[in-house]
Amino acid sequence: MTTTTTLVPEVSIVEKKSSKKKRKSLDVRIHGAWYDLSAFRKSHPAGTHWLDYYEGRDATEVMDGFHSDKARNMFQRMPKSKPERIRELELLSPDDSDVQIAFRKLRDDLEEEGWWDRDVFYESRLIGIWCALVLGAAAAARFPQTIFGGIFGSAAAAVGWGRKISIFMLSLAMTNAGWLGHDYVHGVDKFCDKFRNFVAYGAGLAPIWWSDKHNKHHALTNEKGVDEDIATDPFLYQWAPSPENDSPVRKIQHWIFPIPFSMLFALWRVDTLRVAWDALKQKRPNAKNELKCLGIHYAFLLTLYPTGVWLPAVFLSGLMSALIVTPTHQSEEMFDEFQFDWVTAQFTSTRSAVMSNPFSEWLWGGMQYQLEHHLFPSMPRMNYPKLKERLTKFANDNKIPGGYRDTGEFEILYMNWLLYKKVAKADPVPGAISTKGRTDQQASIITSNSPAVAYGVSK
C-alpha cells in the first residue's frame, strides 16, 4: 500500500478562503463545462450532499457512472457558471487529463456496442439460486427430521445437522442477496428500476443507505478521511494512526480480524435502519416504501427461521462478505487528498481477483471484477469478464501506473492479511490522517463540510 498526494495549481490559503467567502454559487464541471447547480441542489434526488462533494471539482465520471441516460442529458439544461467564477475555478482545478479524455471515448464505444444491455434470463437464473437457498434454509430449519432423519439416524442428530445446514444456506442467501441488490441499485436500466428494492427484501439493506455509503466509496475511492470503506478503526487499521486515534486492538488486528469481519452485516443492518428512518424524516424519495420493504424482510426472516438460525447466519454472512469486499482495495494505493484524475485513481486503488473454481465465481457475486465494476458501476455484472482485455489495452495505451492488475483469490486475501500485520507492528505516527477526516476536508466523514453552506447557497 502506498499513499499519494495530488498536486494542484498553487493558490494561497488566504486566496482560497477569500474566494469561498465571495461565492454565491455551487459550481461543478461536467464534460469540460462549468455548471451552477445551486438552484438544483435541494432537488437532487440522491441528496444535497452529493453536489457539495463536487463543488469546484470535475464530476464527469461520477455523472456518467451513476446516472441514467435521461439524467445525464438533464445537466446540459442547467445554467452555466458565470465567466468570472469560471476563471477562479480554473485556477484551482487542473484540466482534464489525457487519461480521462481517453476513458470517456472508451465509455462511448462500449455504450454503442451494447455493453449495458441486460440479459433477463441470466438475472432470473441468479434470483432462482437465491430463492432455492432461502427455501432450502427454511425447510432445513423447520423440518429437519423429515429431511435428514433417514440420513443421520437419531432425531437429535437430524435437528443438529438441520440447524447447521440451515445457517450455512441462509448465510449464502444473505450474501448472494447483497451482491444481487448491489448490482440492481447501481443499475440504470428498466429491469433495475423494478428490482431496486430487492436488496431491502432479500438482505435487509435500504437502497438509500446503500447508495449514500457505497456510491461515495465509488466516487472517492481510498481517499483517507472520506471513504467509509477504509474507516474501520478502532478494530482494523489500514495505516498507522496518530497516538490519539490509536487502539490497543491494533497490535493484534491481524489475528482477530475475523471477529470484526463477522460483525459487518449486522452493523450494516443496524445502520441501514437508522439511515432509512432519517431519510423518511427528510422526505427523501422512496424512503417510506423502502421502510415497508425492510419491514416485510424482517417479518419473513423472523417467521421462517428460528433465532438460533438467522442470528448466526447474519454473522457468518458478514464474515463471507467482508472477506470478499476488503482485499480488492485495502492493500492498494490510498490518497491523502482528492484525486482530480478519477480514472487513474481507480486503476491504482483497485485490484480484481481471479477465482480458482466455479463456486467462488458465484460466491463473489461479481465483486472479483472489482476494477471493471468501479470504472463502470451501472454495467450488468455478466459483462465484466469480457472487459479485461479492453481495460488491459487501455491501461497500456495510456501508460497508467501498474496497468490492469488482478491476483488469485487466496493470494489477494493473504496480501490483505500482510497489510494488517504490517500496520499492527508499526508505531503510531503523530499527525497521521484520521479515518474520519478533517473538519476542513471536503466530503470528510466527520462533517458534511458543505461548501454550499459557507457560500450561502443552502440558506
Side-chain angles (χ1 to χ4, degrees):
M1 180 197 73
T2 58
T3 298
T4 295
T5 299
T6 298
L7 298 178
V8 299
E10 186 174 349
V11 179
S12 72
I13 295 175
V14 174
E15 287 176 311
K16 288 182 181 179
K17 289 183 177 180
S18 175
S19 176
K20 287 184 177 182
K21 290 179 181 178
K22 294 176 182 177
R23 294 184 208 175
K24 297 296 181 182
S25 59
L26 197 163
D27 306 280
V28 177
R29 188 173 68 192
I30 303 173
H31 285 286
W34 287 96
Y35 294 88
D36 179 3
L37 303 183
S38 55
F40 175 65
R41 181 177 180 271
K42 290 186 177 180
S43 301
H44 186 231
T48 59
H49 51 288
W50 274 105
L51 301 186
D52 296 342
Y53 294 163
Y54 282 88
E55 157 66 15
R57 295 172 170 178
D58 184 272
T60 303
E61 275 63 56
V62 173
M63 181 70 193
D64 289 345
F66 297 157
H67 297 83
S68 64
D69 290 341
K70 180 181 178 181
R72 289 167 61 188
N73 290 326
M74 283 180 60
F75 80 86
Q76 299 178 40
R77 301 197 295 268
M78 298 292 175
K80 296 287 184 67
S81 300
K82 295 179 180 180
E84 59 270 21
R85 279 292 299 124
I86 294 176
R87 286 192 291 271
E88 293 178 16
L89 292 162
E90 295 294 350
L91 290 174
L92 301 173
S93 300
D95 295 336
D96 291 332
S97 69
D98 292 340
V99 174
Q100 290 172 284
I101 294 171
F103 178 77
R104 293 164 195 172
K105 175 64 167 60
L106 172 63
R107 184 185 179 90
D108 289 342
D109 291 344
L110 293 174
E111 287 180 343
E112 290 181 9
E113 295 168 18
W115 285 69
W116 273 259
D117 296 341
R118 192 173 293 272
D119 185 343
V120 176
F121 294 103
Y122 174 85
E123 303 298 343
S124 300
R125 186 166 67 251
L126 293 179
I127 293 174
I129 293 173
W130 173 79
C131 289
L133 288 169
V134 169
L135 295 176
R142 293 296 179 183
F143 311 109
Q145 295 184 53
T146 302
I147 299 173
F148 303 112
I151 300 175
F152 298 109
S154 70
V159 171
W161 276 103
R163 176 176 174 273
K164 293 173 184 176
I165 292 172
S166 180
I167 291 171
F168 182 63
M169 293 183 72
L170 185 57
S171 65
L172 289 176
M174 290 177 175
T175 302
N176 189 225
W179 303 150
L180 287 170
H182 166 264
D183 202 25
Y184 301 154
V185 173
H186 272 302
V188 294
D189 54 86
K190 293 181 179 179
F191 180 91
C192 290
D193 289 343
K194 294 178 181 178
F195 279 80
R196 180 176 172 83
N197 286 324
F198 179 87
V199 72
Y201 287 123
L205 304 173
I208 286 178
W209 167 82
W210 193 289
S211 295
D212 282 357
K213 179 184 185 298
H214 187 64
N215 282 351
K216 189 180 184 185
H217 160 68
H218 269 269
L220 301 161
T221 310
N222 279 14
E223 182 180 341
K224 295 179 180 179
V226 172
D227 185 354
E228 294 185 22
D229 280 20
I230 58 173
T232 53
D233 57 314
F235 302 106
L236 295 170
Y237 294 79
Q238 285 84 55
W239 64 89
S242 61
E244 64 271 19
N245 293 321
D246 204 357
S247 165
V249 177
R250 179 173 66 87
K251 294 298 183 181
I252 56 171
Q253 66 176 14
H254 53 306
W255 298 120
I256 56 91
F257 74 91
I259 298 174
F261 270 22
S262 66
M263 295 169 60
L264 178 73
F265 215 27
L267 293 173
W268 280 1
R269 284 173 171 268
V270 172
D271 200 32
T272 204
L273 291 171
R274 178 186 61 80
V275 171
W277 182 251
D278 288 344
L280 180 66
K281 292 190 290 185
Q282 296 164 10
K283 298 182 179 179
R284 292 181 62 178
N286 301 317
K288 186 175 182 180
N289 188 42
E290 289 185 17
L291 275 172
K292 289 181 180 178
C293 295
L294 291 172
I296 293 171
H297 166 80
Y298 280 103
F300 274 93
L301 184 70
L302 300 178
T303 301
L304 291 176
Y305 309 101
T307 303
V309 169
W310 69 259
L311 187 59
V314 167
F315 288 97
L316 180 56
S317 178
L319 178 61
M320 292 180 185
S321 301
L323 287 170
I324 290 169
V325 300
T326 54
T328 52
H329 292 291
Q330 290 188 358
S331 301
E332 306 309 308
E333 191 163 3
M334 295 193 180
F335 310 112
D336 291 344
E337 296 179 353
F338 175 75
Q339 300 299 293
F340 289 93
D341 184 344
W342 183 88
V343 180
T344 298
Q346 295 304 319
F347 272 91
T348 57
S349 65
T350 309
R351 181 186 296 266
S352 293
V354 180
M355 301 296 100
S356 60
N357 59 83
F359 177 73
S360 293
E361 185 73 18
W362 169 80
L363 180 62
W364 277 59
M367 295 299 98
Q368 62 268 46
Y369 306 106
Q370 192 66 199
L371 179 60
E372 291 85 341
H373 173 60
H374 261 250
L375 291 172
F376 305 104
S378 60
M379 182 184 288
R381 81 187 203 196
M382 58 176 281
N383 291 327
Y384 288 151
K386 298 176 288 186
L387 263 181
K388 178 178 178 179
E389 183 178 349
R390 297 283 285 270
L391 293 180
T392 300
K393 183 178 185 303
F394 177 86
N396 293 336
D397 290 347
N398 291 277
K399 298 179 174 55
I400 295 177
Y404 178 97
R405 295 167 302 127
D406 59 3
T407 302
E409 59 180 312
F410 299 112
E411 183 181 351
I412 200 172
L413 289 169
Y414 182 60
M415 288 168 60
N416 208 41
W417 183 81
L418 289 178
L419 170 67
Y420 288 150
K421 180 181 178 182
K422 177 183 176 182
V423 175
K425 295 181 178 299
D427 293 328
V429 178
I433 296 176
S434 167
T435 60
K436 306 304 184 290
R438 309 180 305 273
T439 55
D440 64 341
Q441 183 180 13
Q442 194 165 330
S444 67
I445 296 171
I446 197 171
T447 173
S448 63
N449 190 34
S450 168
V453 174
Y455 310 153
V457 171
S458 63
K459 294 181 180 179

